[in-house]
Amino acid sequence: VELAMKRLQLMKEILPSIEAATVFWNANSVAQWEATQRAGTALGLRLAGIELKEQPYDYEAALAKAAPQYRGALVVMTSTEFFFDRGRLANMALRDRIPTIFAFREWVEVGGLLSYGPNISAIYRLAADYVDRIVHGEKPAELPVQQPTKFDLVINLKTAKALGLNISSQMQFLADEVIE
């Protein structure tokens, strides 16, 4: 939720002429969708939110619900269902020549354009530390709640090239990882 503004800012930096985008969300990502709507309004970006309800999700039919002017980019909220379908989503968007932005690098590894979000490996290390502390006698209720502190920007240049996009050297320099 807290990263909605940053993701849209990065999208606008890569796609400076974009005025509208489609957003896929589901029941597990309502708060993210609401935060993204607020961020879009603040950035002057019109968003077509498409709620996906019944699994397996029909992404092609969902995208067809968005008017053509909203298909300049696809922003996918974070949910388990979307994560498992990341390859399908990335392939559909690439086939339809739609730039995509996601929360995790795993989406970009399978063909998404851009991701910005917490580093999953760092989160797992933190979880392992908590397990170790509990095993050694600390009470779970006494452990502090911690938020992720490492966030990664990942860009797929192969996807950018397939979409006819030129990613600036400055943006590539800012990225934590560039997939070529």
Side-chain angles (χ1 to χ4, degrees):
V1 171
E2 295 85 4
L3 300 177
M5 177 68 79
K6 185 64 174 179
R7 286 189 188 112
L8 292 184
Q9 287 172 333
L10 289 166
M11 183 182 70
K12 283 191 69 122
E13 191 159 330
I14 286 180
L15 305 166
S17 63
I18 193 163
E19 296 178 1
T22 298
V23 179
F24 282 176
W25 62 282
N26 64 13
N28 296 324
S29 58
V30 173
Q32 294 172 57
W33 164 232
E34 291 169 351
T36 301
Q37 283 179 294
R38 289 188 298 275
T41 299
L43 293 170
L45 187 64
R46 297 185 324 273
L47 300 174
I50 306 294
E51 181 181 11
L52 289 111
K53 296 179 182 180
E54 295 182 28
Q55 292 186 30
Y57 294 147
D58 185 343
Y59 297 113
E60 287 81 5
L63 187 60
K65 290 179 183 179
Q69 64 267 28
Y70 287 87
R71 295 184 203 159
L74 175 63
V75 181
V76 180
M77 301 291 97
T78 302
S79 81
T80 304
E81 297 83 6
F82 294 148
F83 185 81
F84 286 129
D85 288 344
R86 66 190 179 275
R88 282 182 49 215
L89 279 161
N91 288 333
M92 177 203 67
L94 192 55
R95 182 192 67 232
D96 292 345
R97 302 189 48 76
I98 300 171
T100 51
I101 184 162
F102 303 104
F104 300 110
R105 71 181 315 283
E106 289 80 3
W107 303 68
V108 179
E109 290 174 343
V110 296
L113 176 63
L114 170 78
S115 70
Y116 182 74
N119 181 291
I120 298 295
S121 296
I123 292 172
Y124 285 149
R125 282 191 294 279
L126 181 62
D129 179 57
Y130 272 55
V131 169
D132 182 63
R133 291 169 70 177
I134 293 167
V135 167
H136 286 92
E138 290 189 51
K139 295 180 182 177
E142 294 175 0
L143 294 174
V145 174
Q146 294 186 13
Q147 295 290 330
T149 56
K150 179 159 177 33
F151 300 91
D152 291 336
L153 170 60
V154 182
I155 301 170
N156 188 323
L157 289 183
K158 182 178 175 184
T159 298
K161 183 178 180 182
L163 295 172
L165 298 174
N166 182 27
I167 307 297
S168 71
S169 56
Q170 178 185 2
M171 182 62 83
Q172 290 180 48
F173 178 75
L174 291 174
D176 297 283
E177 183 176 356
V178 175
I179 297 172
E180 297 189 56

